Structures are given as C-alpha cells and as structure tokens.
Amino acid sequence: MTPHHTHSSRARMLVFIAWRNLWRNRFRTGLSIAAFGMALSMMIAYGVFIAGEMKQMRGYATDLVLGHIQLHREGYVKDQDIYAQIPQGLVKEVRDHLPPGVALAPRTYGFAMGSLGSLSTGVMLRGISPEEEARVTKIGSRLKSGGFDLSKPVPPRPGAEAVSPRIPVHPVLIGHQLARTLHAQVGDTITLVSQSLDGSIGRGLYRVNGVLSPIEITLDRMGVVMTIETFQELMIMEDGVHELVFSTPDSSHTGPLVRQIQQQANQWAGTHALSPFGGQVTVRSWETINPTLAQTVNMAGTITVIVSLLFFSIAGIGLLNTLLMSVFERKKEFGILLALGMGRGWLVAMVFLESIFLTLGAALPGTALGVYWGYLLETYGWDFSAYLPDGLDFMGIVFEPVLYGHMTLFSVLTPLTALFAITLLATLVPAWRLIRFQPVEVMGG
Amino acid sequence: MNTPDGKTPWKSLVRISWRSLWRNRRRTYITLSGISLGFALTVFFIGIGDGGHNNMIRNAVNMGDGHLTIQREGYLDAPMNHLFIAQGKQLEQQLLQAGIPGRVAPRIQLQVLASTSGNSIGAALTGIQPETDPKTNQLKKGLVTGEWLTTGDPQGVVVGARMAEKLKVKTGSKIVLMAGSEGGGTNTHLVRVRGVFRTGIEEYDSFVMISSLDMAQAFLVDEGANPAGRPVTRVAVFLDDESAMGLWKARLKALSLPAGLVVLDWQEMMPQLVSFVAFDNIGNYISLVFIFTMVAFGILNTIMMGVLERTREFGLLRALGMSPWALFTLVVMETFWLSLTALAIGWVLGGGLHAYFALWGLDMSAMYPGGMATSGTVMDSVIYSELSGARVGMLTGLILGITLLSGLYPAYRALRVTPLQALQT
Amino acid sequence: MNTQTTEASAQSFSQPMAGTKPLVVMEGVTKRYRQGDVMVEALRGVNLTLAEGEFSALVGPSGSGKTTLLNMIGALDKPTSGRVSLNGTDLTQLSGAKLSAFRLHQVGFVFQAYNLVPVLTALENVAFVMVLQGRPPKEIEQRAMHYLERVELADLAHRRPKAMSGGQQQRVAVARALAAEPRLVLADEPTANLDTHTAFDLLDLMHELNREEKMTFLFSTHDQRVLERASRVISLHDGKIEEG
Ligand SMILES: Nc1ncnc2c1ncn2[C@@H]1O[C@H](COP(=O)(O)OP(=O)(O)O)[C@@H](O)[C@H]1O
Ligand SMILES: [Mg+2]
C-alpha cells in the first residue's frame, strides 16, 4: 500500500463524507445556502448598481460637462476673468495638431440679465461652436424640448409677445430651471442685457430654440447657450475664447495628452506673445478640475469591497453557528474516526471541505441570481424620478434620476471573493476546536 | 366526562421558553452576536444617515430663509421683484408680537448682475438687518477684509471672496448692480464694497452679496414701493426649537396677515431637498433590508434547530396534555426572548456607536474636504449621528417584527408534533 | 411463564380480578402500521379488561405490541378497528382536542426515558401537569411537594433532570403522574434503562403507591425478573394476548 494510494483514496472518502454530512441536516444546510445565496446575489446587485452609478457619474461629468481635458488661461480658472481669453491663433494651433481621435470644442462665458415679460434674473452665457461641441460632449442630445440647431431662430410661439421683425433675433438654448424661473418655453423671445467687454451696455433679443435637461447646476439654473458668434456680438468680444474642451477615446489615461497639449500651448505662447492679463495657459484633466467627483467615482471599488466584507461578516456569523453546531453534535463521530486512525488534519480538512461545499452550493445560485438582477439593473435601470423629478445634483453636476447598473467582472468577483474569504475565516473556529478536542471529551460525547 | 383542554400555562411557558433559549448557550451566543452586530450596524447607518440629512437641512435652513418664510403668494413660483411686501415694518412688528421663540429676519432677495470694469457676473443680493439677521452670525466671522455692514448704510455691500476675485474688487471698490424691472427694463444702482468674507462654501463665496435693507430696498422703490413702509421680499423665521415648526406654522397662519401673503415651511421652500432626503433614504433602507434578511435567517436557523432537536420533548409536553397552540406559543416566546436579548445587546452596541459618533462625529473630510454640495445645500464634512425617538421605535419594532415572523415557521413545526413522537426511540 | 405470580395465576390473563369494576375495556382492537410497502399488524384483535386498583404488568418481547397497546389505552393513538373505553368513555369516538383533555385529566404517563421537561426542576416537572389542569397554585405546590416526598426526592426538588440519576428521574415521573390524580397510570417500560436494583426499587415504589393510593397501574416490560412484583401479568405475543 503506497502512501500515495492511501492519500488519494482517503481524500476521495473525505470528500464523500463531507458531502454526505452536509445533507444530514437538510434544513440547516438549505437555510445556510439560501441565506448565503441571497446575500451574495444582493451584494452582486449592489456592486453592479454602484459601478453603474459611478460609470454614469463619470460619463456625465466627462461626456456632458467637463470633457476629458480642458484648456484655459490661468486668470480664467482663478477669477473667471472675462478678459483672460485664449487667442484664436492658439486655438488654431492646437486644433491643427490634434492626435487622431481627439476632438476639441471652444467655449466662451459671460453673465447677463435675462428677462421675459415681467420676470428677470441673472443668467450665465455660454458660447459654443455647435458642430465642434457635438463631437466633444453630448449636450446636443440632452434637450427637454426644442432642438439643438442654433443656425436660425425657431418661429415665435403662438401667443407669445410679438417682436418687431426689424430687430434681429438670435437662437439660444436655456437651462430647464431658468426656463421655469422666466416662465419661458420654446418659441419665446427673451431679452439679454449685459455689460460688454468695452464697458458699454449690450442688449439683444434671443429666441428660445430649446430647453436643456438638467446637466450642470449652474447651466440648469441660469444657463443661456448660444453660438460663439452670437456671444461675441452681444459681449463685443473680438476673437478668442475662454475654454477649450477636449475629448479623447482613451479617457482613462489623460496624462500624456494633457502634457502634450500643455507643451504645444507653451510653445505657441513662446513665439506669439499672450495678452498681458489672463496669465499662463493651463491644461487640466477632468479629475483635476472636479477632484471630489473624481474621488467619489474612484471610491466605487473600495465601497463595494468594504460593504461586501461588512455585510458578509454578519452572514459569516450565521455560518459560524451552523458549522460549530454541526461539529459539536458530531463529537462522537469524530471520536470514532480518530480512533479508526484518521488524523486530526484529515478531520479539519473534512470540516473545511464541508464549508467549501456549502459555500459553493450558495455561490452558484447566488451568482446566477445576482447576475440576473445585475442584468435587470443594467438593462432597465432603476427609476427614481418619483423622488427626484429634476435629477440629483451632486457637486455641481445634475444626474438623471434613472440609475443604470454596470456589470463588470469586478462587481461580480468582489462579493464572491469576500464570501469565500469570510467562509474560510468562519471555518477556522470549528477547525480550531476540532484540533483541541480531547479524545476523552470526544468519545464521551 | 368532558373536561376542557389544558389551560394555557403562561407562567410555565415563559419559564420553559426562557430556559430553553439558554440550553444551547454557544448557539444562542453566536446567534445573539450576529443579530446584535447587524442591529448595531443598522443603528450606525441610520444614525449617520439621519445625522447627515439633518445637517443638510439645518445648513439649508440657516443659510436659507429659516424654518418658516413669509412672502407673497406666487413668489416661489416666479420670484419677480415687484412681488414685494409693501409694509415690511408692520409685518415684522406683527410677528415679533406673536412671541415666536427664535428670530424674525426681514429680507430683500434679488437676482442682480454685478459689473465692474474687470468683469460682470450674476449675484444673489440679499438685503438684511445687519445687526440682527442670523446671516450676520454665519458670515461676519468669515470676514477676510473690511468691516461688516451697519444699519442704514444705503450703499454698502459685503461680498464673497471668490466673487471679489472675479469682479477684481476689494474693500472700497465700486460695483454696479443691475436688476430687471417689471416692464422688462433694468434698474441700476452703484454700491461700495465694505468687506469680503470667505466661508469655504463655493455657492456662498461666488454668488452671495449682502447689503443692508436700506440699500436693497432701492430696487424695490424702483418698482414702486414706498420706502416709508420698509418694503421687503420676505420675512424669514428661525425657530429655536425645530420640532415646533408645525405648531408655529399653524399659529402664524392663524394671525391675520396682510392679504396675499403665505407662510411656507422649509419643506415647501426647498422641495428638492425633501426629495433628496427621500431618495437618499432608499439606500439606507436597502442596507436595512439586507441586514434584517440576514438577521431573519439567523433566527430561523437557531430556533428551527432548537425545535427539531426537541421533537421528543414537545411530544412529551403534548402527551402530558399540553395543547398544540401552547407549543406554538412556546416557540414564539422563545423567539421573542431571543430578539429581546439581541435588541438589548444591539442597543448597547449600536447606542454606543451612536453616542460616539454623536459626540465626535464621523469625519469624511478625506472624501469631501469642503463638504458635499447637493440639492441646493451642503453637508458638512464631519457628520454627527442622530436618532429620533421615532427611529428608535421603528428599528426596535422592525427587529421584533422580523424575529417574530421568522419564528412562525418553527412554531408551526412545533405545533404539528404529535404526542406519539415522544415515545419514538 | 408466570410461575412467580401469586394472585394472577388463577385468573384468565385478559379478565379483571373478580369483584372489581372494569376501568379499561378493549374489544377486538387491531392496529396496523404501514412500514414502507408492507403493512405491519401491531395488534391483532385484543380483548382486555382492567379493573380499578389493579397493578398489572404487560409482558412480551420487543416488537410484540406493548407500546402500541398502551398508546391505545392512553388515548395517544387510535386503533384501526375495535373499541377502547376508559371509565365508560369510548376513546375511539373522541376528537383530537377532547383526547388531549382526556389524557390530561384521566391518564398519567411514565415513559421509558426522557420523561421530564429538561429545563424544569423536579418540583416544576411534578407541578407541570397540575398547572395544565388549571388547579389553584397553592394546591399545586402542596401536592407537588407531597408527591416528591412520597417518592423520597424532596431534597432534590430544585434539581434539573440533568443532575439526577435515571432512577431518580423515573421516580419524579411517577410522582408527576400521581400528583395529577389520574384514573390510571400507564408506564411503558419504566425500568428498561435502569439497573436491576434500581428497577426493583421503582417497581416497589409503584406497587406501594398502588396499594396506598388505590391507583391503577399498567406497566409494560420485557424483563421477566420484574414480573414477581405484578399482581397480574398480561402476556403479549405478536399483537395477541396469550392465554395461560
Ligand atoms: N409508528 C409506527 N410505524 C410503523 N410501525 C410501527 C410503529 N409503531 C410500532 N410499529 C411496529 O409495530 C410493532 C409493534 O411495535 P411496539 O408496539 O413498539 O412493540 P413493543 O413496544 O412491544 O416493542 C413493531 O413491529 C413495530 O415495528
Ligand atoms: Mg415499546
């Protein structure tokens, strides 16, 4: 009889006994499997939900608001100094040397008083280049009413206050909350009054071509979006813009691109003198611009791990109970096995096998159910619009009230790993007790 | 002979059930530790959650327009500058006479465009009584340069630090304020910066401009108000005791306020905050459901094992003349003791956690250095746990309910034990 | 078979002693159990009369139907056919709840083992059935203590079963059965788990109580040695009472 032979046949017997033992107390085993399967599926669904939320947040932040990279003059970042402009030459230089796949959109910003009828409020102006903006952000697809077309004003709304046909009217999009504040609808004509860059008071009439869905808190509350040309006309701004927004296909590694654009800008600034005010050109990734948001997004993984471990520890206490009970009520049996010459190590291995079988029994249906829930979350989402009709604003960005899950290997594997870790940990206690059983105690039952 | 069935021996049932629970001590201890740990965790989650929400609400109330706000009907819908309260002084007097425990703050709130030679931005101009308004408390200590406002100053403003940077102004600088008027025109007034404050809250430092009532009233006068009546756009009421809000809302409504005025509580003023709290609670309730599911499984397991291994004993009790329902009651009672004990330990643990975090707070500044801005308010970066009596009742009731529910099946199994089962060897 | 029996030897085993009133009457009682696919006939037409005040032993090898018979009399189970009446009540006609009430007031049980509620003390165990009967607490306390004294266990009144020997536990069970004032005490192999000495002690105690309290006892055993204690021996074989 070779030792190898003994070992393998013993091991086979062990597996067999462990499996049988599990089914001796069907209720207990069934309950444990149900509890763990349930816990696992909930955790997987939770992980999918969190990952989805974070993905959505990140997507919102980059696709709708910040882009992946932004270029400003330092004066604009610090003081929103309207004179801190990016000269047209620099815009052209950067645009002409964009790496493949990277898109760019220029923007301008200003403030004005907006009024409609007897209602008036302060508004934030944003000048965009519609074709370029469409390549960088998805603002154009986020309209509550009206359309993104800013080439010509829509006809006036029937019943709206008449406007003299001789006065030019320019098309704009306005934020949803602003529309509410001004009681404005698509087809209305709003008046904007501003202090132009030359110090004079500018005034103009603007047709509401569309109302934007909530995207960004300031844009939603006070945003008026127009073409850069319209903006320049109202503000009497010669050329230049305030912001360049970039999108890149490789959004997770913005570092090299940031450095490349920065270098390009510095080079240009070295040969063409920048205007005296406004400071240096600065290029930043969206993570640098909104660090809290970036941090929250990056926390998703950590949150899933912590919550999984925490919740499974509670479930683990239940497992500990089951395993301890089954070990203690089988003291006599273990005594017999010991007497028959089965080493303690084998007994411990048997207990571990039992808990692994138990966990596997829970893991298979639990994962299946969890993945199914995850699939539902990913496909249909979870609609909170009853609670948050206007979306959820967090750190200045407004999120849609329908949250979609995002299934990743991580969101499935993390709870699964946590489950096995907790199970093995919980098995240590009965295993340790088993090693400490005195033969007398064992035989005496 | 027709004697009635055995009386339900309550005392014996209590005795047997309590002692049975402690027969398998190890099992009971483990179960107890699981339940009470889960419960303590729940108390912690709910305490921090509620603490965070209350913190957001208090911040919103304190920085906003109080627990109760009196303003013109329709102003909430469309804040038009001509919807002012003409007789502000009179209304303030009326409110002061009502004996409200707290503060009454008349205010003028206007959306203006602030321009200097350097820049032009939107601003929220708030006219207050500089000496008494609660805003003074919050902002005066953040004054970086210059002086706080004085009553009657017809030109002075204090501005947030970020706004000062954007407008490139410092103490003594001039700013032109422009507000829309009823006809669609504009009114402008020149103001001077008396001071600059910094709160660390972006919304405040970038958008808020404070003036005396006298300055802001100039815009209302443009709209046709009589300065003698001390016109305001609203009166904010801050209560010392936030729980008295409902009571005072009713009392203020009962006052014969001038026609066209409404009394609104903060929930009506900030419905999006109410929705946010409701939304955020969903997350807390989900973890509640999760933990309680685990608790239910733990209890079911322990009680069920206890029932299964005592089939003979139950058979004996039945053979001796105990009714099936008395057995059912016995098991339910056992479940009840288990959950009561778990609750006691759970409340000691959870209460301890709560007390610790109520006292020292949970520091989240690593994640939200300047607090978390959402739903028109901010949550501080240090959150103090809070638990209301209603919450304590809810959590206790839930655990008891869930425990009793999970005890039903084992109890039913006990009910079905026949006397004959006592005899099977 | 019953050479040592004294009084019973002259009697037919299935007939009560002359001159006493019948307490238990069984007529043509059969009991069939299904064991998997086969039907087991545990009792095949038992006729038996027990008189009040008797101290009878039911003997037979394991599997002969002793427990089944006792269960029929004790209203724990119903016969497949035939009639069982106790003190004039036809048990086969009673419903579940009535049976349970009947047991509570008319029958005392002493089982082979695990007689006592483990979490109750000796005194509480004796009191238990009286509590179920709804007797006044004062009376319960007095009777419980009295019967514990009767079985000479007054000093162990506050012990739990775990801390008592097998014989002591059986005596507590006897005290409990008697304290509830039943018409009849049924004891299913009460001595099976006891050593000879203790077994005899227990039987002596039961016999003594039978004489002094005029309590009717029916106990089963497969132990021939204890038969000398019985005043009447009923022999059971393959579900039938054997004459002679
Ligand atoms: N609940 C039952 N189900 C099936 N068979 C039973 C049951 N109870 C008893 N029996 C069978 O009936 C016969 C008589 O059993 P029992 O009355 O327990 O005998 P004894 O008590 O004399 O040992 C046996 O063959 C036994 O296997
Ligand atoms: Mg038997």
Side-chain angles (χ1 to χ4, degrees), chain B residues 424, chain C residues 33-35 40 42 61-69 188-189:
Chain B
Q424 275 155 15
Chain C
Y33 289 113
R34 177 184 291 279
Q35 271 183 356
V40 180
S62 183
S64 59
K66 302 182 295 294
T67 299
T68 309
L69 187 95
D188 192 10
E189 309 212 27

Side-chain angles (χ1 to χ4, degrees), chain A residues 206-234:
Chain A
Y206 300 86
R207 177 71 34 79
V208 178
N209 266 21
V211 176
L212 290 163
S213 296
I215 296 169
E216 221 181 314
I217 196 98
T218 40
L219 197 62
D220 191 43
R221 277 193 213 157
M222 49 197 303
V224 175
V225 178
M226 51 184 62
T227 62
I228 291 181
E229 294 73 33
T230 309
F231 180 92
Q232 285 168 341
E233 200 177 309
L234 172 66

Side-chain angles (χ1 to χ4, degrees), chain A residues 64-66 107-111 122-128 133 137-140 142 148 173-181 210-226 243 396-398, chain B residues 203 207:
Chain A
L64 289 171
V65 181
L66 305 170
R107 291 174 183 171
T108 57
Y109 291 95
F111 283 91
V123 299
M124 182 196 73
L125 309 175
R126 179 189 280 188
I128 62 167
E133 187 73 31
T137 68
K138 296 182 187 141
I139 289 183
R142 305 276 312 159
F148 184 63
L173 309 172
I174 66 173
H176 171 239
Q177 292 246 29
L178 176 63
R180 262 203 237 159
T181 309
V211 176
L212 290 163
S213 296
I215 296 169
E216 221 181 314
I217 196 98
T218 40
L219 197 62
D220 191 43
R221 277 193 213 157
M222 49 197 303
V224 175
V225 178
M226 51 184 62
E243 185 172 88
I397 295 178
V398 185
Chain B
E203 285 237 337
F207 289 109

Side-chain angles (χ1 to χ4, degrees), chain B residues 236-252:
Chain B
V237 175
F238 296 82
L239 298 171
D240 293 338
D241 175 15
E242 61 194 35
S243 66
M245 188 175 83
L247 176 76
W248 279 102
K249 186 181 178 189
R251 285 194 187 164
L252 294 188

Side-chain angles (χ1 to χ4, degrees), chain A residues 16-249:
Chain A
F16 180 73
I17 295 177
W19 177 253
R20 277 295 182 79
N21 278 337
L22 214 55
W23 296 106
R24 273 165 47 175
N25 197 329
R26 274 160 204 277
F27 184 86
R28 194 163 61 196
T29 305
L31 197 69
S32 303
I33 285 182
F36 276 93
M38 193 75 113
L40 182 64
S41 64
M42 280 170 150
M43 279 295 96
I44 290 178
Y46 176 80
V48 168
F49 184 72
I50 292 288
E53 215 177 329
M54 297 306 156
K55 186 187 168 211
Q56 230 167 322
M57 265 199 191
R58 188 194 166 95
Y60 255 78
T62 57
D63 298 350
L64 289 171
V65 181
L66 305 170
H68 295 123
I69 296 170
Q70 294 190 354
L71 182 149
H72 299 100
R73 294 287 294 279
E74 262 169 10
Y76 191 79
V77 174
K78 221 171 124 263
D79 304 334
Q80 274 170 306
D81 183 345
I82 197 161
Y83 298 99
Q85 295 163 11
I86 305 157
Q88 218 32 258
L90 176 54
V91 177
K92 190 174 179 308
E93 167 77 10
V94 174
R95 191 187 275 137
D96 289 348
H97 294 93
L98 279 181
V102 176
L104 166 159
R107 291 174 183 171
T108 57
Y109 291 95
F111 283 91
M113 280 305 296
S115 57
L116 174 61
S118 56
L119 293 167
S120 73
T121 186
V123 299
M124 182 196 73
L125 309 175
R126 179 189 280 188
I128 62 167
S129 154
E131 299 79 43
E132 284 181 291
E133 187 73 31
R135 264 178 259 137
V136 174
T137 68
K138 296 182 187 141
I139 289 183
S141 64
R142 305 276 312 159
L143 284 133
K144 257 215 154 74
S145 55
F148 184 63
D149 183 14
L150 286 174
S151 58
K152 59 177 190 306
V154 296
R157 180 171 66 88
E161 229 175 295
V163 178
S164 158
R166 274 174 305 152
I167 305 173
V169 174
H170 300 285
V172 292
L173 309 172
I174 66 173
H176 171 239
Q177 292 246 29
L178 176 63
R180 262 203 237 159
T181 309
L182 291 178
H183 290 201
Q185 296 173 37
V186 172
D188 275 332
T189 312
I190 59 174
T191 309
L192 296 180
V193 179
S194 73
Q195 192 189 26
S196 312
L197 267 71
D198 64 0
S200 66
I201 299 292
R203 183 188 283 269
L205 295 182
Y206 300 86
R207 177 71 34 79
V208 178
N209 266 21
V211 176
L212 290 163
S213 296
I215 296 169
E216 221 181 314
I217 196 98
T218 40
L219 197 62
D220 191 43
R221 277 193 213 157
M222 49 197 303
V224 175
V225 178
M226 51 184 62
T227 62
I228 291 181
E229 294 73 33
T230 309
F231 180 92
Q232 285 168 341
E233 200 177 309
L234 172 66
M235 299 300 289
I236 316 189
M237 188 162 130
E238 305 279 285
D239 78 342
V241 294
H242 293 122
E243 185 172 88
L244 292 184
V245 185
F246 301 84
S247 74
T248 162

Side-chain angles (χ1 to χ4, degrees), chain A residues 5 11 52 64 70 72 99 117 123-124 141 156 171 231 253 266 269 271 315 341 374 379 391-392 406 423 430 443:
Chain A
H5 173 76
L64 289 171
Q70 294 190 354
H72 299 100
V123 299
M124 182 196 73
S141 64
F231 180 92
H253 299 97
N266 290 349
T271 49
T379 318
L392 167 68
H406 177 52
T423 313
M443 293 305 284

